[in-house]
Amino acid sequence: METHSSLEVRLEMLIVGAKMTNVTPIGLWGFDSAHAPGAFECSNIRTMIPFSVLDLSPITQGGDATLSFRCSLDLAQHAENWGYQRYWLAEHHGMPGIASAATSILVGHVAGGTKKIRVGAGGIMLPNHSPLVIAEQFGTLASLYPGRIDLGLGRAPGSDQTTARALRRNLSSDSDEFPQDVMELMDYFSADSKNPVRAVPGQGLAIPVWILGSSTFGAQLAAALGLPYAFASHFAPQQMMQAIAIYRANFRHSARLTKPYVMLGFNIFAADTDEEAVFRASSWQQAFVNLRSGRPGRLPPPMTDYLQRVGPGERALLDSVLSCAALGSPETVRQQLEAFIAHTGADELMITSQIFEHAARLRSYEITAEIFSESLTTTA
């Protein structure tokens, strides 16, 4: 068993490396799968891949946060009935089109309106918070909804620097201290915490902790701590394959997880026809271009032939993120999903679907659930 001090040494090396360089040697590739906390248990020769929901609680043009929260709960209730494994909400601040800023409150809202689906944060941006406060918040959630709460942790601010300053009152919080903050947070959940401060509720609760990332840093940290890893390939796929390889090659088993477990973000826009799916996806495409161009706004209505209207720079942005997306009819989406899973060896997919009309968004998630439930499998 690795000692606490040796783990701290490896984390210190990771922090120093993050400050000096972004280059990390890539180890051997592997596709070992494992059952994450709350994952399906299957003994057949072929194992269904768990599929989950990532919800940004989008605020649409003409809508408001009240409508967004109502739609989020409705989607969660449908997702539970359709067999989705977990329902995660993401922390963002100062975004006109995203309502999930008070993430832990919204997690409680969704958990209270559902019965069995796992609900969690994908994720909490830990540099914005005291680890003790997050331990208490999620200790409270886990006490209210035992065995159903997940905690995903990221090190990005989830906002611009001005908003980050308003959140923290100052910027003395250093994202390079993220590994120590994660360890402090997990210690608060421990039954034999070494910290003289106690998280009440929180201490002794087995709350699954995930590391989130969109670069290789999170992969290294998740591997060092023996935690499941969720990669934000749905909006930043550039380092996806490198991060997966680093995580699996360097994974150290822990009391929380014995084998590496990778969940990948994936955009799906499914409809009854290819043409309708392409049309529905244009809302997300507009919002993505607006965000990356410094014009964040509410989720706009769909637009016919949107891709034909954008310039080469915007098209390059979309082509990159579309590498982790499936658009089309059920059969088209099925083929794209199978190709993505075969390419990445993902253990689980976290599906996001930024569609303007709520009924069409529900239909996209319903089609996706039917694909997974009927025949989308990988060799165990």
Side-chain angles (χ1 to χ4, degrees), residues 159-207:
S159 64
D160 56 57
Q161 288 300 304
T162 302
T163 305
R165 184 176 291 108
L167 282 167
R168 306 176 199 169
R169 310 306 298 174
N170 62 68
L171 292 180
S172 60
S173 176
D174 186 353
S175 63
D176 288 332
E177 296 175 355
F178 179 62
Q180 290 100 322
D181 288 343
V182 171
M183 291 185 67
E184 179 183 343
L185 176 55
M186 291 196 301
D187 186 63
Y188 286 128
F189 291 144
S190 172
D192 55 348
S193 173
K194 298 176 177 59
N195 197 312
V197 178
R198 296 289 182 261
V200 182
Q203 185 175 14
L205 298 181
I207 301 173

Side-chain angles (χ1 to χ4, degrees), residues 49 67-68 81 100 131 156 158 192 202 218 295 305 330 333 346-347 351 357:
I49 301 170
L67 175 63
S68 174
N81 292 332
S100 52
D192 55 348
R295 307 186 309 271
D305 298 326
V333 170
D347 298 302
I351 307 301
E357 293 183 4

